[in-house]
Amino acid sequence: MTAWIALLKKELRLGSLAFIVFLAFQLLIMALGIFLAIRFEQGLTNKWSLITAFGALLLLCHILYLVSYMLVNVFSERKTFHLWMHNPLPAWSMLAAKLLSGLIYMTVSLLIAAIYAWIGFLIYSRYTSIPKSVHVYRYATFISAQMYWIAIFSGIVFIFLWLVLRYFQSRVGKWSWLVMIIGISAVIYALVKLTQLGVLTFLTHWGRIPESFMRYWISTSGISRTGGVSVDYIGNYVAGLLVMLILYTLSSWLMDHKLEAS
């Protein structure tokens, strides 16, 4: 456990550059939102709604945070990958440290953006009547959970593709990118065909989540009037979890058995 903690600290140090770059970009967007709010001429309400909108945009951008972090991370260690591979820890724990470091930085960045949006919303709500049926904090919690789900899924997919690319680079050299493009295109084509044939719908559209659950988390005045809510299925999450487990297992296997000499 001590060795894994040391590896996690090393990953955090390695990822600090990516975090600082993303944080600087985020602070720049925040400053732009405040500047435009000050320059706005349509009243105090619009000023703070603008800041809230900028904050919400930053929050949504965190869906891509983990993938972007991982991209910068692996690019930074492209010349020291062989040293990383000499770590005696099993591959699954090494990949877990890399993912966790990204999630830690993502959480810190997300909290900063959330505080910015929250302050703007609190002041905005003082001058605008918010319907009682709009549960902002429940909706924010629901969206945050979805963002982490998508971020972890995309992060694992990225790690798998990165390791596959490393494997092909050690086998076919400069042709590895062509092999990857052909492979990804084939997978996308197969998924489109399976969707058109209804296979994916059959496999994932089971266990419909009760409408009362969806209303509780994302209820709005519009939904209350129209009765329409987003439809989701437990099967979607089970399928997503299985895909993540399979790709993570394959990634660990590649590291343990195929990349030692690459």
Side-chain angles (χ1 to χ4, degrees), residues 3-15 97 101 105:
W4 187 83
I5 295 297
L7 178 61
L8 176 60
K9 292 179 179 179
K10 181 181 178 181
E11 290 292 344
L12 289 170
R13 289 195 300 270
L14 181 65
S101 66
Y105 280 131

Side-chain angles (χ1 to χ4, degrees), residues 153-171:
F153 185 92
S154 58
I156 291 176
V157 171
F158 176 84
I159 284 178
F160 174 72
L161 293 177
W162 167 58
L163 292 175
V164 170
L165 177 63
R166 298 287 311 195
Y167 171 76
F168 281 121
Q169 284 177 336
S170 67
R171 299 301 188 274

Side-chain angles (χ1 to χ4, degrees), residues 19-203:
F19 172 72
I20 292 173
V21 171
F22 296 147
L23 181 60
F25 174 76
Q26 184 167 269
L27 293 176
L28 181 64
I29 297 298
M30 290 179 179
L32 177 62
I34 295 173
F35 172 76
L36 292 177
I38 294 175
R39 299 285 294 180
F40 219 80
E41 298 179 355
Q42 297 183 15
L44 185 60
T45 298
N46 288 327
K47 290 182 180 181
W48 294 108
S49 64
L50 186 62
I51 290 180
T52 305
F54 269 74
L57 178 62
L58 285 173
L59 291 173
L60 290 177
C61 287
H62 280 77
I63 292 177
L64 300 175
Y65 188 97
L66 188 58
V67 168
S68 302
Y69 170 87
M70 298 297 294
L71 179 62
V72 175
N73 184 281
V74 300
F75 181 79
S76 300
E77 65 177 10
R78 67 192 185 282
K79 295 182 180 180
T80 59
F81 179 77
H82 62 287
L83 298 177
W84 188 62
M85 289 296 297
H86 284 124
N87 194 300
L89 292 173
W92 68 265
S93 64
M94 295 170 64
L95 294 177
K98 192 173 287 293
L99 279 171
L100 182 58
S101 66
L103 288 173
I104 290 174
Y105 280 131
M106 174 182 168
T107 301
V108 174
S109 179
L110 190 65
L111 284 174
I112 294 173
I115 291 173
Y116 176 82
W118 180 60
I119 292 175
F121 173 76
L122 285 180
I123 301 176
Y124 170 72
S125 61
R126 291 176 58 187
Y127 300 93
T128 302
S129 177
I130 305 297
K132 293 183 178 180
S133 57
V134 178
H135 305 298
V136 176
Y137 297 109
R138 292 182 194 173
Y139 187 74
T141 302
F142 179 82
I143 292 298
S144 297
Q146 295 292 318
M147 285 172 45
Y148 273 98
W149 176 264
I150 296 172
I152 294 173
F153 185 92
S154 58
I156 291 176
V157 171
F158 176 84
I159 284 178
F160 174 72
L161 293 177
W162 167 58
L163 292 175
V164 170
L165 177 63
R166 298 287 311 195
Y167 171 76
F168 281 121
Q169 284 177 336
S170 67
R171 299 301 188 274
V172 297
K174 63 181 180 180
W175 296 101
S176 57
W177 283 102
L178 179 60
V179 174
M180 289 293 294
I181 292 173
I182 294 174
I184 293 174
S185 299
V187 171
I188 293 175
Y189 177 80
L191 290 175
V192 170
K193 284 297 182 182
L194 290 174
T195 301
Q196 292 174 345
L197 293 173
V199 176
L200 291 183
T201 300
F202 174 77
L203 293 175

